[in-house]
Amino acid sequence: MKKILIVDDEPNIIMSLEYTFKKNNFEVFIARDGQEALEILKKQIPDVIILDVMMPNVDGYATLVEINKEEKLKNCKVIFLSAKNKESDIQKGLDLGASAYMTKPFSLKKLVDKVKEIMF
């Protein structure tokens, strides 16, 4: 079973993504900020991380910087999913090593398709 870590501070988005990815046969882990995500990543190595940018404590960009420092996480694919939609925001996410950057509001189908695309 493929593993996915969803990192977002919006409960409605978490619920929607959790339901959608469980329905698509993923084992789902949830973090509500970057710090919680980094704690989960000490114990779990997901195939894909969906990462919001604007979160309390540790934002998505800083979280990805920390993820990149961990050799055991080098094969994890990261998709930013954020309301920050300026070209400079998107470019920053991609420059940090994200496989994709999608903006909110988003299509669940397009997100699932993107996850499947970057995994294979």
Side-chain angles (χ1 to χ4, degrees), residues 34-53:
Q35 186 60 45
E36 194 175 327
L38 295 171
E39 289 301 314
I40 290 170
L41 290 170
K42 290 178 181 176
K43 299 177 187 124
Q44 296 292 333
I45 301 175
D47 299 287
V48 178
I49 301 168
I50 296 177
L51 187 57
D52 189 12
V53 173

Side-chain angles (χ1 to χ4, degrees), residues 6 8 10-18 81 104 106:
I6 297 165
D8 202 302
E10 295 179 45
N12 290 339
I13 291 193
I14 291 170
M15 284 189 334
S16 176
L17 294 179
E18 181 178 26
L81 182 63
K104 296 175 184 176
F106 62 98

Side-chain angles (χ1 to χ4, degrees), residues 86-111:
K86 290 183 187 169
E87 187 61 39
S88 59
D89 298 321
I90 295 168
Q91 193 59 53
K92 180 176 182 178
L94 296 174
D95 288 347
L96 287 171
S99 298
Y101 192 114
M102 296 180 70
T103 57
K104 296 175 184 176
F106 62 98
S107 154
L108 277 170
K109 181 184 181 331
K110 285 182 181 176
L111 179 59

